[in-house]
Amino acid sequence: MRRPPPKPMPSPPATPAPVVEAPPPAPHLRDIGPARAEFVRSTAQRFNIPAAEIEAVLANAQIRESIIKAMSRPAEAKPWRDYRPIFIQPKRINDGRAFLSTHAAALQRAEDAHGVPKEIIVAILGVETSYGGNKGSFAVVDALYTLAFAYPRTGDPAKHARENQREAFFRDELAQLFALAREQQLDIATLKGSYAGAMGWGQFMPSSYRDYAVDGDGDGRVDLFNNLDDVFASVANYFAKKGKWERGGPVMQRAVRDASATDFINPGNAVTLDQSLASLAAAGYRPVAAPLVTGKPVTLITLEGVAGPEYWIVYNNFKAITTYNISRLYATAVYQLSQSIAGREPGTP
């Protein structure tokens, strides 16, 4: 008698596949058509430029993956101990001293007119373009077009509003570029700059070029690409007008922390001068030497140095530098480079 075949063993319950959220679409795959059309319409109306003229330029503009990648990894994300050596190093200091010596008369005119020390002007050019040696190789229209319509997205809901804000900023800068080109008779197609669309020796964005660039030599034009008189005067005017630079005022000063002090919470990058030297002293933070000035609003920043935390008291003119670039690391690098160019130790008048 044959035995019946064995019953098959029951299959184990299927493991449900993990739920994977779809990543945000690649920037270059987004449908930018409606936003682009609205941009053309609004820019034409805002600046009284024929829509066909704007369309003709945008027809040749391209969304560049290299620009998206560069914007996704800014140097300011580094700690101070790694950021500082990028700018505070012998070659940049020596080149800055030579540049200041060569252009001393024009730089002095800019300082006299606007109150911004010539070594600060030189340091900006040193940090931004290595004294004109690297003004950027990206097509400005491509940089702004990319960031205006394909700003990099992380997919993090907490960053969504900020990313939208940044994209709107670059969309406005692209619009400002068209206005600038008309006002200064610039050929948009030939302009080169940074991956963020900044231009010239001082790396001005289009809106800053329009609002703060000035004619430094009285020739009737404002040329930030080739005319150093215009460049020096414009950088100084930017700090004086936008940054509210205080002539003869301090920038920053090294501080020491009492052993009993609690951490001074000052998050983010924006500098808010909401303290006094007395309130900082009460919190356990004092300047290492005599205060550079008294009776002025200040705040404290903490930087991650090679030997541990560095504490700095910062004044209005430090905040002025952050109007050029909001990063505290950037402002500190500009200041320390300027002091080294001038032959002074950072933190002294």
Side-chain angles (χ1 to χ4, degrees):
M1 184 176 178
R2 296 179 59 190
R3 295 180 180 177
K7 294 181 179 180
M9 295 291 292
S11 301
T15 303
V19 178
V20 179
E21 293 186 6
H28 60 280
L29 297 180
R30 297 182 201 157
D31 178 11
I32 66 171
R36 185 182 182 282
E38 172 57 23
F39 170 84
V40 172
R41 185 201 65 76
S42 63
T43 302
Q45 182 179 52
R46 180 181 176 187
F47 297 116
N48 195 28
I49 301 172
E53 186 177 314
I54 299 170
E55 281 284 9
V57 172
L58 296 187
N60 294 311
Q62 296 186 45
I63 291 179
R64 303 281 187 181
E65 198 67 36
S66 58
I67 291 168
I68 295 169
K69 289 178 179 178
M71 182 56 70
S72 300
R73 54 173 189 271
E76 284 77 10
K78 299 175 182 289
W80 173 239
R81 61 179 173 270
D82 297 328
Y83 185 89
R84 187 182 190 277
I86 299 173
F87 301 107
I88 315 301
Q89 35 102 335
K91 184 178 190 316
R92 206 177 298 253
I93 293 168
N94 292 334
D95 287 352
R97 289 173 177 169
F99 187 88
L100 191 155
S101 177
T102 300
H103 302 287
L107 285 160
Q108 190 63 54
R109 287 194 296 272
E111 177 176 338
D112 292 344
H114 303 283
V116 179
K118 51 186 171 291
E119 62 267 22
I120 290 284
I121 300 171
V122 173
I124 285 287
L125 303 182
V127 168
E128 291 290 339
T129 62
S130 293
Y131 314 106
N134 180 15
K135 296 192 285 289
S137 58
F138 292 91
V140 170
V141 68
D142 283 358
L144 294 176
Y145 185 72
T146 298
L147 299 173
F149 296 106
Y151 189 83
R153 304 297 174 131
T154 60
D156 181 351
K159 297 180 179 179
H160 183 70
R162 172 64 175 165
E163 290 162 356
N164 282 347
Q165 181 185 50
R166 293 295 288 163
E167 189 168 87
F169 166 80
F170 285 108
R171 198 167 297 180
D172 179 68
E173 291 296 334
L174 180 60
Q176 298 269 359
L177 178 66
F178 284 94
L180 173 67
R182 280 208 150 196
E183 293 162 356
Q184 299 296 335
Q185 294 81 54
L186 301 175
D187 180 1
I188 290 179
T190 65
L191 298 178
K192 300 291 186 181
S194 76
Y195 66 80
M199 300 172 284
W201 283 71
Q203 294 291 277
F204 274 41
M205 295 297 288
S207 63
S208 294
Y209 201 133
R210 297 185 68 225
D211 292 342
Y212 301 109
V214 292
D215 180 4
D217 60 358
D219 67 354
R221 293 194 67 236
V222 181
D223 180 2
L224 301 188
F225 295 92
N226 304 295
N227 188 318
L228 285 178
D229 285 296
D230 291 358
V231 170
F232 300 155
S234 297
V235 171
N237 184 62
Y238 181 98
F239 281 128
K241 295 292 175 58
K242 186 170 185 178
K244 306 294 188 268
W245 186 276
E246 294 179 355
R247 188 185 292 262
V251 177
M252 64 192 305
Q253 181 177 23
R254 193 72 180 262
V256 291
R257 172 179 172 163
D258 292 348
S260 60
T262 58
D263 289 344
F264 187 87
I265 306 301
N266 195 340
N269 263 320
V271 173
T272 302
L273 302 175
D274 57 359
Q275 301 290 318
S276 66
L277 291 173
S279 68
L280 290 181
Y285 298 89
R286 298 174 176 80
V288 297
L292 298 181
V293 68
T294 58
K296 295 284 189 179
V298 297
T299 194
L300 184 95
I301 65 170
T302 304
L303 304 176
E304 299 176 43
V306 172
E310 295 180 11
Y311 305 102
W312 292 85
I313 296 170
V314 300
Y315 299 82
N316 175 76
N317 287 349
F318 182 88
K319 184 175 181 179
I321 299 175
T322 66
T323 64
Y324 214 97
N325 181 320
I326 197 173
S327 167
R328 298 171 187 181
L329 303 186
Y330 175 93
T332 305
V334 167
Y335 169 68
Q336 292 196 2
L337 178 61
S338 77
Q339 298 301 93
S340 295
I341 289 170
R344 297 191 291 265
E345 286 296 318
T348 59

